[in-house]
Amino acid sequence: MESLVAWFQGLGVRERRVVTFGAIAAVALLVFAVLVPLDSSVARAHARLARKEADLAWMQSVAPQISAMSPAGGAPNTQRSLIAIVEGSAREAGLGSALGPSEASNQGGLRVRLDKAPFDIMIGWLARLSDQQGIRVESATIDNAGTPGLVNAGIVLRGRH
């Protein structure tokens, strides 16, 4: 440290000013370019963690109620469970905003309406319904929604028997 002070004392007046202002600028740059964004990022992470913890607490508080309401065995054997599976999986797939009203069709089927749904997401969702739940597409009418990649669809689904 003494050698640094001796070096600084050995500089001329102008050189001392340049070194002093340079040191101040370096400290300011460190604070504003590294520490402030880092602090902001940490604050956002803490807020996100608090939201996630609140969501978890809520989920744990309603889990017993949901478990009591679910059918024994978990197999989709009623019209109501088919609706619950289809609507829940559509929301999980990101189709919640496109999901229209669902209504029972003849012989245990379910009519689902999707408005302005992303086509690729809709097809992936239908494939997952078939693969994971055994729900198949009985019929479908798909029309262009006016925006590339978005469709309006009327789909009749049938659950496994």
Side-chain angles (χ1 to χ4, degrees):
M1 186 72 177
E2 289 180 25
S3 63
L4 184 61
V5 171
W7 171 79
F8 186 73
Q9 295 296 330
L11 295 176
V13 175
R14 282 187 176 169
E15 292 171 331
R16 282 189 204 170
R17 284 186 189 153
V18 169
V19 170
T20 302
F21 288 128
I24 291 170
V27 168
L29 182 65
L30 176 69
V31 167
F32 290 110
V34 176
L35 298 179
V36 170
L38 183 62
D39 182 55
S40 174
S41 175
V42 168
R44 282 192 310 270
H46 281 297
R48 191 173 69 239
L49 178 63
R51 282 193 311 271
K52 300 274 186 194
E53 287 173 340
D55 289 346
L56 176 61
W58 177 80
M59 285 184 219
Q60 288 173 336
S61 72
V62 298
Q65 296 167 354
I66 293 173
S67 294
M69 291 174 23
S70 68
N77 56 6
T78 66
Q79 182 63 30
R80 183 159 195 248
S81 63
L82 178 62
I83 292 171
I85 290 170
V86 168
E87 289 184 356
S89 66
R91 285 182 177 76
E92 286 175 9
L95 294 170
S97 62
L99 189 61
S102 300
E103 61 183 43
S105 70
N106 56 355
Q107 300 170 353
L110 178 67
R111 250 181 252 280
V112 178
R113 180 78 188 152
L114 296 170
D115 295 311
K116 295 183 180 178
F119 179 78
D120 294 339
I121 293 174
M122 181 187 72
I123 295 300
W125 167 64
L126 292 171
R128 280 190 301 281
L129 277 177
S130 177
D131 293 344
Q132 296 172 359
Q133 302 294 335
I135 298 171
R136 61 182 170 80
V137 176
E138 186 171 278
S139 65
T141 303
I142 301 172
D143 299 312
N144 185 352
T147 303
L150 297 182
V151 295
N152 296 326
I155 304 169
V156 178
L157 301 170
R158 184 160 315 278
R160 59 183 165 204
H161 293 282

